[in-house]
Amino acid sequence: MKQSGKVTFVMVIVAFVITLTTVFSFFVSFSNKNNITPPLFDSSSASFESAWLNEYGSHFNLSMLSKRKPEFDCETPLIVWKEIPSIESDSAIFFRTNNLVVNVYIDDKSVYFTNKDGYYHNLSSFNSYCYIPISYSDVGKQIKLEIYKTPVSLGYCIDNFSFGKSENVLYSAFASDISIIVASVMTIIVGVVFIWMSIISRKTYEHCRGLAFFGMFSLLIGVWFLTDTLWLYNFFKDVSLMEFCSHVFLSAAVPCFMMYIYDVFNIYSKKYYIILTSIGFFIFLLFLILDLTGAFSYGNSVFIQHVYILLCGGTLLVEMISYLSKVAVGEKQSKIFNIGVIFFTAFALIDVGRYYQGNEGDNSLFTRFGFFILAVTAVSVVSMDVIALLKLGIQAGKIGKIAFTDANTGLGNPAAFKNKFEELDRTKSNYSYIGLIQFDVNNLKVINDTLGHEAGDLLIKTAAEIIERSFGVIGKCYRVGGDEFVAITTYNHAPLACEDAINKFESYIDHFNNNPNKPFELRIAYGVAYYQNTTQQFQSLKEVHKLADQRMYNKKKELKARYAKKPEEAVIR
């Protein structure tokens, strides 16, 4: 309980920090849009993106580039130019290109190349940032743009235009990325925190693997956000590297998110979901290997990646909407988080569509907003748990613990077992496995009659300690009678977990019995049975419990026959 409380507390803090910082980043982004740098020609009505001349001498507006019929391709560029007007001080020009190779010349002298050779070269889907300083000596000279289309440029544009004093343009260029950077850094921090939580809670939290996959997803998606910023581009100054990283991180993030949903929502019986997730990991590894070996550019797989995202997104939306319709009326928290997943998935799909429309602005805007909604729903869900606990109060918590705890062993008592058993019987379809382990301590009456009731109490406490040490790490243990115990586990791979726990259990008993100073021989019979979601073997947990009890009884007879030293010890009581 303490470990679970720590995890919940950390999740509350993380969720609130995500919400506050995301709101702040959107506020900053909105404020920046209201402080746009003045246009290139303050003395005329022409702004930077307009009043260019093409090769035919016609006026050309760069902001309309994505809406025009392409007049250029990978080999033949679109060339536009204009004259640099008078300036009062050293100035600069800045703009962002989306899926275009743009080279800039001032009087035929190269001042900026997107690529080292100035032409399309294995680049498919990328953003680059052009910053051109303008000095007094450049006044009256001709500034020329040479624009090449890339093969994947179904969506392309030139945007984020600004011109003015060098420091103002640089500030404006970097400030336009603040919302992305804040969201990226916070998403990365969330990823690290969730991975850390999955590690520290791996023995106590059933969905610890879900936390790990969500952490990896957040980490990858946060770095993917960063690859679309001037800050990172200015640091590495390599378009090819930015393009490669962008595709790698995105293609790895999608199957991680699918695995997170798979674990948290217990979608174990849907084989197509497992196949779809496996395809994602296969696509990621295949194209990564092909790119590293030089056989194929990772960027050229962007269309395949987007098709995969659409398949995953569509499947996820159908699954989540279906899940939402089946959630019980009282399970408000599940509905809220489910809605958050739906919004995040839908907004991510919108960004895929925006990419192929060539819209101005970054292509991860809706995805970031979707992540914000996901964070808010997480805050709501966790906050409801915390508020419910606060209302219960410390005293009520102590009373509740006493009411459901066996005073002699510290394990759950029959009332606690009954509550848990009935709850699992109602919700068994949410679990891949439910394991029931029935225990019975041999010779309690004999030890009570021959050694006294203090020895009998010690026998029960010793048995409880060994059962808790062996099975408490994979589930919950209860004392349901004088010498009877039950352990329940809902691990995804319960048979493997129980096998390991049984080995520990038997080694602890052997260690106790090998002690020459032991007060008595310790023999504990056990029986194991499982409910498996993918089979129709059992209709209720009562049938599973009955089978576990029968197997325990058979084991008890075996132990009695093997170790009885007196006739009365062989009698089944």
Side-chain angles (χ1 to χ4, degrees):
M1 289 297 293
K2 289 183 178 179
Q3 188 69 43
S4 178
K6 289 180 180 179
V7 172
T8 302
F9 176 75
V10 173
M11 290 180 71
V12 173
I13 298 300
V14 171
F16 272 112
V17 170
I18 295 171
T19 304
L20 292 176
T21 52
T22 309
V23 170
F24 171 76
S25 67
F26 275 93
F27 173 76
V28 171
S29 178
F30 178 78
S31 300
N32 288 335
K33 290 181 180 179
N34 295 328
N35 293 282
I36 300 174
T37 308
L40 179 63
F41 300 112
D42 291 329
S43 58
S44 71
S45 60
S47 63
F48 171 70
E49 61 266 30
S50 62
W52 292 82
L53 298 175
N54 62 14
E55 57 183 320
Y56 305 109
S58 303
H59 286 275
F60 194 93
N61 189 334
L62 290 178
S63 64
M64 300 295 292
L65 185 66
S66 63
K67 300 176 178 63
R68 296 171 62 96
K69 183 180 179 180
E71 302 171 353
F72 56 102
D73 53 33
C74 306
E75 304 295 333
T76 305
L78 168 67
I79 298 176
V80 295
W81 66 87
K82 69 187 341 178
E83 186 178 292
I84 299 176
S86 299
I87 53 177
E88 297 179 357
S89 60
D90 286 346
S91 301
I93 298 171
F94 170 80
F95 57 88
R96 188 191 76 137
T97 69
N98 184 304
N99 298 331
L100 294 172
V101 174
V102 178
N103 306 317
V104 183
Y105 303 86
I106 295 181
D107 271 3
D108 294 326
K109 178 184 178 182
S110 173
V111 293
Y112 174 84
F113 269 12
T114 297
N115 259 359
K116 293 179 181 178
D117 56 7
Y119 298 94
Y120 160 74
H121 179 66
N122 285 337
L123 290 175
S124 58
S125 168
F126 63 93
N127 296 327
S128 61
Y129 300 86
C130 179
Y131 178 83
I132 309 297
I134 303 295
S135 64
Y136 287 112
S137 60
D138 293 324
V139 174
K141 292 182 179 179
Q142 185 184 85
I143 180 171
K144 181 174 68 174
L145 305 184
E146 188 179 68
I147 307 170
Y148 292 87
K149 184 178 180 290
T150 61
V152 185
S153 296
L154 296 177
Y156 58 88
C157 65
I158 299 179
D159 60 8
N160 287 18
F161 303 101
S162 59
F163 175 83
K165 292 182 179 179
S166 300
E167 60 273 18
N168 292 341
V169 171
L170 194 60
Y171 168 78
S172 176
F174 279 102
S176 64
D177 282 340
I178 286 181
S179 66
I180 304 179
I181 293 169
V182 172
S184 301
V185 172
M186 289 311 306
T187 305
I188 291 171
I189 292 174
V190 169
V192 173
V193 170
F194 270 81
I195 292 174
W196 170 72
M197 285 194 297
S198 72
I199 295 173
I200 66 172
S201 65
R202 64 188 182 278
K203 293 183 179 180
T204 57
Y205 186 57
E206 180 186 356
H207 297 298
C208 61
R209 281 173 298 180
L211 291 178
F213 278 114
F214 186 80
M216 288 188 286
F217 161 73
S218 297
L219 193 63
L220 292 166
I221 210 75
V223 180
W224 174 63
F225 287 158
L226 275 181
T227 58
D228 190 25
T229 62
L230 174 62
W231 294 68
L232 210 62
Y233 178 84
N234 191 61
F235 182 80
F236 289 104
K237 299 184 184 301
D238 189 334
V239 175
S240 299
L241 177 63
M242 290 298 95
E243 182 207 24
F244 174 77
C245 291
S246 175
H247 293 306
V248 167
F249 293 134
L250 179 60
S251 62
V254 177
C256 286
F257 185 70
M258 296 288 280
M259 286 300 298
Y260 163 66
I261 298 297
Y262 175 81
D263 184 82
V264 171
F265 288 93
N266 299 294
I267 310 176
Y268 304 117
S269 59
K270 307 295 177 62
K271 300 300 181 184
Y272 66 85
Y273 195 91
I274 300 174
I275 294 172
L276 195 58
T277 305
S278 302
I279 289 174
F281 284 112
F282 175 76
I283 290 174
F284 163 70
L285 291 174
L286 175 64
F287 288 116
L288 180 62
I289 293 171
L290 290 176
D291 188 281
L292 293 177
T293 57
F296 185 78
S297 173
Y298 209 122
N300 290 329
S301 68
V302 64
F303 181 74
I304 298 174
Q305 294 176 40
H306 283 165
V307 169
Y308 175 69
I309 291 174
L310 289 172
L311 286 174
C312 289
T315 302
L316 202 55
L317 284 176
V318 171
E319 197 67 50
M320 291 297 100
I321 293 172
S322 174
Y323 183 90
L324 189 62
S325 64
K326 296 177 183 178
V327 176
V329 176
E331 298 181 32
K332 186 177 180 181
Q333 290 142 299
S334 296
K335 286 186 176 182
I336 291 175
F337 185 67
N338 190 266
I339 290 171
V341 174
I342 290 173
F343 270 103
F344 172 74
T345 305
F347 283 146
L349 294 181
I350 289 174
D351 269 339
V352 173
R354 291 175 68 246
Y355 168 84
Y356 288 101
Q357 289 178 349
N359 288 8
E360 295 186 8
D362 66 87
N363 290 322
S364 64
L365 177 63
F366 281 90
T367 303
R368 296 202 309 275
F369 187 65
F371 194 87
F372 163 72
I373 294 177
L374 192 63
V376 171
T377 57
V379 170
S380 302
V381 170
V382 178
S383 297
M384 286 180 185
D385 290 336
V386 174
I387 292 171
L389 289 174
L390 290 176
K391 287 182 177 179
L392 186 62
I394 298 175
Q395 189 62 33
K398 290 181 179 179
I399 294 173
K401 185 176 181 180
I402 293 172
F404 292 100
T405 302
D406 178 68
N408 196 33
T409 63
L411 302 181
N413 62 14
F417 170 72
K418 181 181 178 182
N419 285 349
K420 185 65 176 178
F421 187 86
E422 291 177 350
E423 175 194 342
L424 288 176
D425 201 23
R426 289 192 307 270
T427 61
K428 57 183 178 293
S429 60
N430 293 336
Y431 301 92
S432 57
Y433 281 99
I434 298 177
L436 290 174
I437 307 94
Q438 182 77 27
F439 303 91
D440 188 280
V441 182
N442 286 4
N443 301 322
L444 175 60
K445 187 177 187 309
V446 173
I447 291 174
N448 276 333
D449 293 343
T450 58
L451 300 178
H453 287 282
E454 288 187 2
D457 289 341
L458 179 61
L459 173 66
I460 294 300
K461 289 180 180 179
T462 303
E465 181 182 349
I466 288 177
I467 291 171
E468 175 66 19
R469 286 175 62 189
S470 304
F471 293 88
V473 294
I474 65 169
K476 185 70 177 175
C477 302
Y478 305 87
R479 183 187 181 191
V480 294
D483 57 0
E484 296 180 2
F485 298 83
V486 176
I488 301 177
T489 178
T490 56
Y491 260 42
N492 293 341
H493 302 287
L496 294 177
C498 283
E499 183 179 349
D500 182 56
I502 289 171
N503 290 334
K504 293 179 182 179
F505 171 74
E506 292 180 337
S507 68
Y508 290 145
I509 292 177
D510 290 341
H511 179 74
F512 179 90
N513 289 330
N514 290 333
N515 184 353
N517 298 320
K518 61 181 179 295
F520 41 70
E521 288 283 339
L522 179 64
R523 305 296 174 195
I524 306 174
Y526 63 88
V528 187
Y530 303 100
Y531 169 84
Q532 188 174 357
N533 198 359
T534 55
T535 68
Q536 302 297 325
Q537 183 179 0
F538 301 108
Q539 297 298 320
S540 70
L541 286 190
K542 289 182 180 179
E543 297 176 66
V544 181
H545 191 195
K546 184 178 180 180
L547 179 59
D549 190 68
Q550 180 62 47
R551 289 173 174 173
M552 180 275 296
Y553 186 80
N554 295 337
K555 185 73 173 180
K556 188 177 182 72
K557 287 196 296 184
E558 177 192 331
L559 292 176
K560 286 279 188 179
R562 184 189 307 174
Y563 295 105
K565 297 178 181 178
K566 300 177 182 179
E568 60 268 26
E569 292 180 0
V571 178
I572 301 294
R573 292 184 174 87

